[in-house]
Amino acid sequence: MAPSANGQTVGRRLPVESAFTRVEDARHRLPRLFGRRDLVVLGLGVMIGSGIFSLSGKEAATVAGPAVILSFLIAALVCVLAAACYAELSSTIPVSGSAYTFSYVTFGEMWAWLVGWALVLELVTAAAIVARVWSAYFLATLDGFGVTLPHSLAQFFGPDAKVNLVAPLLLLLLTAMIVTGTKLSSRVLTVVVAAKVAVILLVVIIGATHINWANYHPFIPMRRAAQATASPTLLSWIVDSSFGTFGVMGIFTAASSIVFAFIGFDLIATASEDARNPRKTVPQGMLLGVGAVTILYVAMAVVLVGLRPYGQLGGPAPVSEAMDSVGIGWAADVVNLGALLALMTVIMVVLIAQSRVLFNMGRDGLLPKSLGRVSRVYSSPARAASAAGVAAVILTLYPNVIDLEELLVIGALFCFAFCAVGVLRLRRTEPNLERGFRVPMVPLVPLLSLGATLWLMLNLKTSTWWMFIVWMVFGLAVYGLYGRWHSRLANEESWDFEIGDTDPGSGGLQAIRPTDSDTSELRAIRTPPKPTRGKHMRN
């Protein structure tokens, strides 16, 4: 049995002090580059992507009809509640790793592994899917500028192509940029996000003048029976009744998928080690980012549904196709260019977030320790970034990867649920820890977040649940065979003797060591509880 710092094995928890000292006392620290504005821009850079340019049309055409507007509002509400929970946890434990690190401190190692494994699923799937969507807009952009590819070549560009050559090449290019430490500077990223927002505002303003109000009727189409080959949702399977598509239940079914459009605020938490004053800036970046994209998404959904009958919005590039259908093809070309830019930054931020998750899991010993090293040549977690990129490339080669959209949603919702419970648990176990942000109305808000998250998970397809269960069972096997025995927390005493971790060429892990004076930038700060009036009088 592996030794453990606290006498446990599977249930061992990472002490909150260790979560900080592993960052501040190690040679593998990441440079602190991001301020509040940079984090907001980072969130907008990843959230404004395929959700607004592709998902809205698909869900309107096949699931919800014009009521997809309500689906966006429901998904936004769920994400606002989840963002509040993430904000408190990230302000309490402002280190990279997001929900994985929060769970390690709050619940224990095995639960942290499951959350981290779900994050890996979410981010790899997101990168692969968005790369495929990018290839569709790339082809549409070429057509808009009069460049028609021969069929023998165009067949390798589509999102549903059996062999897609564009998406893997794009992923390899962006992975190389991340591995070598090439990042968009704060100023350039701000310009890119501003351009994306300008494109959306252009669509909303120009498109609003071409709205056909008849396209909003019926706002909630009549419920339709599910196709014989369609996978039922988990809720309909439990109650032994098929809800089909459209109708009121179609709104919630679409909302479960539309959560994909908002995924990105949680990725800001993975950049906590890269942020300045993370106790304040990370929560602010999350909440401001979710609020901004909610306004943009709802406005886009209102205009998109008004431009074209909802049944015609299921194409590979619904926004540009809708603009072209009302005779403003020049705007469609602008939309395609904006979408290319938007989706490219989405992939880059997702890959960066994935590298941070793998970096932390490697640093903790749950994955090979080589993933937890920072290259001194590039000042980036190069090996973790390479692993993230290769995994995304392999998955994007799967012809039906677009159909796995719900798989990344269930991974994100799984993490949302743990963060909601984590707020309640940490309030009870560590009530005196400094919190840069506190969720209001506890326990009501975390319980509402948990309930809304579970409800959306029930509205995901049973096929999605089966794939998720298989993935998590496989993850448990990996943990049982490797992570449990190589955990840094279980082998703290012997960690200092790992000579390979001190390789001067790649940076490495360094054991926690006590110091006489605390000079770290981050530390677990506890404030004594305020005495009640009765106790004060007695004293």
Side-chain angles (χ1 to χ4, degrees):
M1 181 177 295
S4 174
N6 56 12
Q8 302 177 22
T9 51
V10 175
R12 51 186 168 242
R13 290 193 295 122
L14 178 67
V16 66
E17 288 83 4
S18 295
F20 293 108
T21 55
R22 290 189 182 191
V23 176
E24 299 303 329
D25 291 349
R27 286 188 291 271
H28 53 74
R29 290 178 55 182
L30 299 171
R32 297 192 181 279
L33 303 174
F34 299 137
R36 179 180 61 184
R37 185 195 67 178
D38 304 310
L39 292 172
V40 173
V41 169
L42 189 71
L44 294 179
V46 68
M47 284 188 280
I48 301 176
S50 60
I52 198 168
F53 290 106
S54 176
L55 187 59
S56 53
K58 174 185 175 182
E59 295 300 315
T62 60
V63 182
V68 72
I69 299 169
L70 299 180
S71 301
F72 271 96
L73 290 174
I74 293 171
L77 177 61
V78 173
C79 290
V80 166
L81 294 173
C85 297
Y86 266 87
E88 175 166 326
L89 292 174
S90 63
S91 72
T92 310
I93 313 170
V95 297
S96 67
S98 186
Y100 159 73
T101 303
F102 305 155
S103 298
Y104 210 161
V105 172
T106 307
F107 300 107
E109 186 173 277
M110 187 186 72
W111 296 109
W113 167 265
L114 290 176
V115 171
W117 198 242
L119 274 172
V120 170
L121 175 67
E122 170 194 345
L123 297 174
V124 170
T125 308
I129 290 176
V130 175
R132 282 268 182 164
V133 175
W134 189 92
S135 67
Y137 274 95
F138 181 74
L139 191 60
T141 301
L142 292 179
D143 291 339
F145 286 96
V147 179
T148 302
L149 297 178
H151 177 72
S152 58
L153 184 60
Q155 64 178 336
F156 299 112
F157 282 62
D160 300 322
K162 293 183 178 180
V163 179
N164 188 302
L165 299 180
V166 177
L169 290 176
L170 175 66
L171 287 170
L172 289 174
L173 174 63
L174 296 180
T175 299
M177 294 176 63
I178 297 170
V179 167
T180 57
T182 304
K183 296 182 181 180
L184 292 174
S185 68
S186 170
R187 182 174 300 177
V188 172
L189 185 58
T190 300
V191 171
V192 171
V193 171
K196 296 197 292 186
V197 172
V199 169
I200 295 170
L201 293 177
L202 174 69
V203 173
V204 171
I205 294 173
I206 301 297
T209 62
H210 294 76
I211 286 178
N212 181 357
W213 297 101
N215 291 333
Y216 294 107
H217 302 285
F219 187 71
I220 302 178
M222 294 290 293
R223 183 177 66 87
R224 302 177 188 175
Q227 299 179 3
T229 58
S231 176
T233 64
L234 180 62
L235 180 61
S236 62
W237 179 77
I238 292 174
V239 300
D240 194 23
S241 176
S242 176
F243 296 106
T245 57
F246 300 102
V248 174
M249 289 305 300
I251 298 174
F252 291 99
T253 302
S256 299
S257 297
I258 287 173
V259 169
F260 166 74
F262 291 87
I263 291 175
F265 73 85
D266 53 324
L267 303 189
I268 296 177
T270 66
S272 292
E273 276 183 42
D274 304 78
R276 300 188 298 269
N277 191 18
R279 291 189 193 277
K280 299 290 185 182
T281 56
V282 171
Q284 291 169 352
M286 287 183 187
L287 297 174
L288 290 174
V290 172
V293 298
T294 297
I295 295 172
L296 294 174
Y297 278 4
V298 172
M300 175 70 88
V302 170
V303 171
L304 182 61
V305 172
L307 286 177
R308 204 175 189 187
Y310 68 87
Q312 300 176 18
L313 296 175
V319 176
S320 58
E321 292 170 1
M323 300 291 283
D324 193 50
S325 69
V326 295
I328 43 178
W330 63 269
D333 295 335
V334 174
V335 168
N336 288 333
L337 285 174
L340 285 178
L341 195 62
L343 298 176
M344 186 178 296
T345 57
V346 169
I347 299 171
M348 175 172 275
V349 176
V350 166
L351 290 176
I352 291 174
Q354 177 70 292
S355 69
R356 297 306 187 266
V357 173
L358 295 177
F359 169 74
N360 274 271
M361 297 178 77
R363 183 166 61 182
D364 291 333
L366 301 184
L367 288 177
K369 288 187 290 184
S370 60
L371 296 176
R373 296 176 180 175
V374 173
S375 170
R376 291 190 176 181
V377 177
Y378 303 119
S379 298
S380 68
R383 297 183 183 183
S386 299
V390 170
V393 168
I394 293 173
L395 184 57
T396 202
L397 294 175
Y398 175 53
N400 298 324
V401 66
I402 298 293
D403 297 334
L404 301 181
E405 182 179 271
E406 283 193 359
L407 201 56
L408 74 92
V409 172
I410 196 172
L413 292 176
F414 183 79
C415 298
F416 289 2
F418 267 84
C419 285
V421 179
V423 169
L424 299 176
R425 181 175 175 84
L426 206 61
R427 286 282 188 100
R428 181 175 61 84
T429 58
E430 295 283 0
N432 301 325
L433 276 177
E434 179 182 346
R435 290 165 168 83
F437 173 86
R438 298 179 71 91
V439 176
M441 296 183 291
V442 172
L444 178 61
V445 171
L447 289 177
L448 286 175
S449 176
L450 178 63
T453 299
L454 293 177
W455 173 256
L456 291 184
M457 293 178 76
L458 286 174
N459 282 278
L460 296 174
K461 297 175 182 176
T462 53
S463 58
T464 300
W465 274 94
W466 280 117
M467 286 187 287
F468 181 69
I469 290 172
V470 170
W471 173 258
M472 299 306 280
V473 170
F474 175 64
L476 280 174
V478 174
Y479 173 74
L481 295 174
Y482 182 88
R484 178 182 177 182
W485 308 105
H486 293 81
S487 166
R488 175 177 179 173
L489 193 61
N491 300 277
E492 198 73 59
E493 295 179 359
S494 62
W495 200 270
D496 209 14
F497 301 101
E498 297 287 345
I499 304 300
D501 285 337
T502 60
D503 178 13
S506 62
L509 296 169
Q510 185 170 329
I512 300 174
R513 55 186 184 276
T515 56
D516 297 330
S517 61
D518 186 6
T519 59
S520 61
E521 298 176 14
L522 287 176
R523 62 188 185 276
I525 302 175
R526 289 181 172 82
T527 56
K530 296 180 180 180
T532 62
R533 177 172 299 180
K535 291 181 179 179
H536 175 71
M537 295 298 291
R538 287 195 296 271
N539 291 335

